[in-house]
Amino acid sequence: MLTRSEENYLKTILHLSEETQKPVSTNAVADKLSTKAASATDMIQKLAAKGLASYYKYKGVKLTTKGTREALRVVRKHRLWEVFLLKELHFKWDEVHEIAEQLEHIKSPLLIERLDEHLGFPKFDPHGDPIPNANGEVVTIPTTTLSILNPGERCRVICAKDSSSDLLTYLDKIDISLGVEIEIMEFHAFDSSFSIRVEGAGPITLSSKVAENIIIERL
Amino acid sequence: MLTRSEENYLKTILHLSEETQKPVSTNAVADKLSTKAASATDMIQKLAAKGLASYYKYKGVKLTTKGTREALRVVRKHRLWEVFLLKELHFKWDEVHEIAEQLEHIKSPLLIERLDEHLGFPKFDPHGDPIPNANGEVVTIPTTTLSILNPGERCRVICAKDSSSDLLTYLDKIDISLGVEIEIMEFHAFDSSFSIRVEGAGPITLSSKVAENIIIERL
DNA sequence: ATATTTTTTTAGCTTAATCTAAAATATATT
DNA sequence: AATATATTTTAGATTAAGCTAAAAAAATAT
Ligand SMILES: [Mn+2]
Ligand SMILES: [Mn+2]
Ligand SMILES: [Mn+2]
Ligand SMILES: [Mn+2]
C-alpha cells in the first residue's frame, strides 16, 4: 500500500518525464513538490527499493512499469474527481485542482469505478488533460503550444499545460477557455509576446510565458 | 489545523460520550480506535494541550466546546459523504462507512457546503443518524432500542446504533431496514432473545445483541 | 587542466504517531 | 484494611517524512 507522499512523488515523476524519455533530476522533483532536494533523494531511494522507480546515484530517476501503473492510477483519480467537482458541485476550473490533490489519495478501487460511471466515463478533465482508463491506458494529446504559431495562423485551445490557479484564473479573465478559437495577429520579437484575437473579441496581448502554457490544435 | 489522527480521536470521544455526560476512559477510546491505551493517553494529552479536550490524569477525557465543534464538523462530513455514496454512487448501506472514514478528512469548507446543497440538504445519513448542520447543530434522536420492548408492542426502525458492516449486512439479510415496522411476538428470558415479525413476513428470532443495536420508535 | 559553481547525496535532527514494557494509580476482593 | 487485579500513565523505541549543514560528485568556466 502506497502512502500519500509516495503517491505524490510518483505522480510528479510521471509528469516531469512526460515530454522527454530521460531520467528526471532530483531538484526538478523537489521543486515541483515544494520540498528540499535531500527529501526528494530519500523518497526516490525508497521508491527504487520498492521497485517503483529505477535510480542510479547522481543520474536521476525514472518510473518502472509498476511505478508508472501506480502513478496513472493516481492521475486517473485526480482527473475524475476534478470532473466531479466542476460538473456536479459547480466549482470553477481554477478551483478543482487543489481539492483533487486531496481526493486523489482516497483508497477504494470500487469508489473510483463508480464515480467514473456516474460521470458518464469522461475522457478529459476540466483542463483538457486525458483521463487514464481503468487499465491505465491514456490517449496522448498533442503538445503544440500557442507559442510556436506565426502571425496569420488560427488555432483552437485544447488544454492548459499548467493547472495552477494563477494561470487558469488569468485565462478566465481574458476569456480563454477550452475549445475557443484564436487568431494570431502579431509576434513581438523583443519580449516574445503575441497579439491575438479570441473569437471575434478585440485584440489582446499574451506574454510568452502564457503562450507556452496553452496547448492548441491548428485550424 | 487538525491532523487526521486528531480528527479520528475527537470523533471517537464525541461518540463515546454521547449517552452519558461522564468523562470517557482511555481504554474505551483505545478500543474504539483499535489502538493501544498508551497511544490514546498520548493523543488525549495532546488534545487537552490544544484546548480541544479537558483531561485529568486517571480521570478520563471530555471534549471542550471547541473540541465538540471540531468533532461535529467531522461527523457532518462523514454523514454527508455517506449519503453521497449511497444515493449517487449506489453503494449499499453497509459499504459506505469505511469509505466515508477516509472522505471525512478532506479539508475544504466550500466542498462540504456544495456537497450538502447538491444532495438537497439531507437531514439523516443512511443509518438513520442525524447530520449536523453547518453551524454544528444536530437534532437528537430517541435512544429507545428494540430490546426494551415487550411482546405485543409494535415499532418502526429509525436508526442502526452501530455502522459496522457486520451488523448492517445482517440486518439486510433479515430484511430489516430503516422505516420498516416490527411487531414483538415473544421474549425469551433464557438468552434475552426476541421473536419478532417484520412487516407481514414470517416470524424470526433476534439475539439480544442485535436487539440492543436497533433504535426504534413505538407505534 | 584546474578551479569554481551547481547539483546531489549523506549524516544527523525533529515531529507525529504508533508500539512494548515497566511504573503508578485506581478498583475490586477477601 | 490489606491484597490482588485492572486500568492508566510514563519511558524508551520505531517508522515515516520532513529539515539543515556538510561532503561528494558533476557541470561549467577560466
Ligand atoms: Mn496529492
Ligand atoms: Mn487537471
Ligand atoms: Mn476517519
Ligand atoms: Mn453513518
Side-chain angles (χ1 to χ4, degrees), chain A residues 3 5 9 35-36 38-39 42-43 46 58:
Chain A
T3 65
S5 191
Y9 272 92
T35 182
K36 296 300 153 73
S39 307
D42 273 359
M43 182 56 86
K46 192 170 157 195
Y58 297 102

Side-chain angles (χ1 to χ4, degrees), chain A residues 99-154:
Chain A
I99 304 177
E101 205 52 54
Q102 298 178 61
L103 286 164
E104 69 188 0
H105 303 293
I106 302 290
K107 259 83 173 178
S108 167
L110 186 52
L111 171 61
I112 206 66
E113 299 322 315
R114 290 279 175 89
L115 183 64
D116 194 15
E117 188 184 346
H118 179 64
L119 298 170
F121 305 105
K123 294 283 163 284
F124 297 92
D125 83 3
H127 313 109
D129 290 306
I131 299 173
N133 69 19
N135 295 319
E137 295 152 355
V138 217
V139 305
T140 46
I141 56 166
T143 55
T144 318
T145 58
L146 194 147
S147 59
I148 68 159
L149 299 185
N150 294 309
E153 287 193 280
R154 293 169 46 73

Side-chain angles (χ1 to χ4, degrees), chain A residues 17 27 40 55 65 74 103 111 124 130 134 157 175 178 188 195 204 210:
Chain A
S17 52
N27 264 353
Y55 163 74
T65 307
V74 182
L103 286 164
L111 171 61
F124 297 92
V157 176
D175 287 314
L178 301 189
H188 311 290
S195 293
I204 56 174
V210 172

